[in-house]
Amino acid sequence: MAYETILVETRARVGLITLNRPKALNALNTTVLAEVMAALEAFEADAGVGAIVITGSEKAFAAGADIKQMQSMSYVDAFMADFFAGWEALSRIRKPVIAAVAGYALGGGCELAMMCDFIIAADNAKFGQPEITLGVMPGMGGSQRLTRFVGKSKAMDMCLTGRMMDAEEAERSGLVSRVVPAGELIEEALAAATKIASFSLPAVMMAKEAVNRSYETTLSEGLRFERRVFHSMFALDDQTEGMSAFVEKRTPNFRNR
Ligand code: HXC
């Protein structure tokens, strides 16, 4: 499929999506949404892909929702289109999705990164929810996910003042899992994704589901869910292979089933 706003490629077992609207610092419009979702769904359906990376440019992961597209929108337009609710479909992707963030991740850009399973940041990354400076507030999860990731005080600070957080503060606050030199971002993100894609895909998908469950349920229900899923793993060929390989002191050869 030919895309207008993204570049899509496969590197071994990793699917790579690069946001590509350089003149608008990768601002997210409805075409970007449709194309990213189409690419994600294609990777989800591709048995040759075990993990996915979403990235932008060195200057901007994404500078937010497209302000020029939103400028003249009415309440009824936004409500009837359920504006940008479509991004929630990203959380239904069952394979792991890593955000590799360099430069600006602002507004919807920060929110898109937070919808991914984890964020690897370049040392020049800047995260922010500057919607308040436009007379609005976050609308793609910023008030909810950011608060869960960095806590109320920092989330309030960012949503109410619109200030940006640099990569070092983002790592200290738990927003990102690691910070790497900007020139090594893609290499590092692809290496992490390649490692994930070398493991048993069903085990990886179940682990992702279990971690995500912790955001939706109580601790006792989450622990029960984890235990039940863990028990079910003894039905995987890959459990037999992984444990046998350890005992036999050899590299496992996972069959993804
Ligand atoms: C549309 C954008 C854009 C955006 C940048 N551009 N951000 N276009 N929507 N969000 C465009 C600029 O208009 C300009 O094009 C070009 O990208 C380069 O931007 P500059 O501002 O000239 O670059 P620079 O001076 O380096 O400043 C970078 C920046 C600034 C600090 C990131 O662009 C900025 O503040 N952008 C807006 C960030 C923001 O408020 N994001 C939140 C959006 S609201 P032209 O052709 O004009 O020169 C949001 C809501 C989500 O995300 C909820 C949805 C449901």
Side-chain angles (χ1 to χ4, degrees):
M1 178 168 171
Y3 295 110
E4 216 181 284
T5 63
I6 59 173
L7 305 172
V8 176
E9 59 194 290
T10 307
R11 307 261 188 104
R13 283 181 50 74
V14 176
L16 176 62
I17 299 174
T18 306
L19 304 174
N20 187 34
R21 293 187 73 207
K23 289 189 186 138
L25 299 185
N26 292 333
L28 307 171
N29 60 20
T30 43
T31 309
V32 180
L33 163 61
E35 293 190 346
V36 169
M37 286 319 307
L40 284 171
E41 274 153 21
F43 285 143
E44 181 88 330
D46 183 344
V49 169
I52 300 161
V53 174
I54 302 183
T55 194
S57 67
E58 183 152 349
K59 175 154 188 196
F61 176 73
D66 192 322
I67 299 166
K68 292 169 189 169
Q69 188 176 55
M70 291 186 292
Q71 186 190 5
S72 57
M73 194 181 281
S74 69
Y75 166 74
V76 173
D77 295 336
F79 178 80
M80 293 309 284
D82 205 1
F83 183 63
F84 270 12
W87 284 109
E88 283 302 316
L90 201 157
S91 29
R92 291 199 294 274
I93 297 295
R94 297 168 74 211
K95 291 178 181 171
V97 183
I98 301 173
V101 174
Y104 296 111
L106 303 179
C110 184
E111 294 167 308
L112 170 59
M114 289 191 290
M115 284 176 198
C116 298
D117 295 314
F118 62 97
I119 303 173
I120 299 181
D123 52 12
N124 74 341
K126 285 191 183 303
F127 297 87
Q129 298 290 163
E131 290 89 343
I132 200 73
T133 68
L134 300 168
V136 292
M137 61 172 273
M140 266 170 63
S143 67
Q144 304 301 302
R145 288 195 179 91
L146 186 65
T147 309
R148 282 167 164 79
F149 296 166
V150 306
K152 177 185 162 190
S153 193
K154 275 189 188 286
M156 280 286 189
D157 182 359
M158 290 176 73
C159 292
L160 300 186
T161 70
R163 84 167 172 91
M164 294 184 209
M165 195 186 253
D166 65 17
E168 193 273 325
E169 183 180 2
E171 185 181 31
R172 180 160 32 94
S173 312
L175 179 58
V176 311
S177 70
R178 17 178 153 160
V179 178
V180 301
E184 293 165 24
L185 177 69
I186 291 300
E187 204 180 302
E188 289 276 343
L190 287 173
T194 301
K195 174 141 211 144
I196 292 168
S198 75
F199 297 133
S200 165
L201 184 57
V204 162
M205 289 167 66
M206 289 182 208
K208 163 172 168 159
E209 190 177 346
V211 174
N212 281 333
R213 192 68 171 235
S214 71
Y215 281 100
E216 306 288 347
T217 193
T218 61
L219 179 61
S220 58
E221 282 307 312
L223 290 170
R224 179 187 297 270
F225 177 81
E226 179 191 71
R227 208 157 54 240
R228 293 290 173 257
V229 177
F230 175 73
H231 294 161
S232 76
M233 288 182 159
F234 290 88
L236 294 177
D237 291 346
D238 287 340
Q239 173 272 331
T240 312
E241 170 60 12
M243 294 192 182
S244 303
F246 177 83
V247 172
E248 293 160 18
K249 302 188 188 299
R250 60 175 175 82
T251 308
N253 178 20
F254 292 120
R255 296 172 58 204
N256 291 325
R257 47 182 305 218

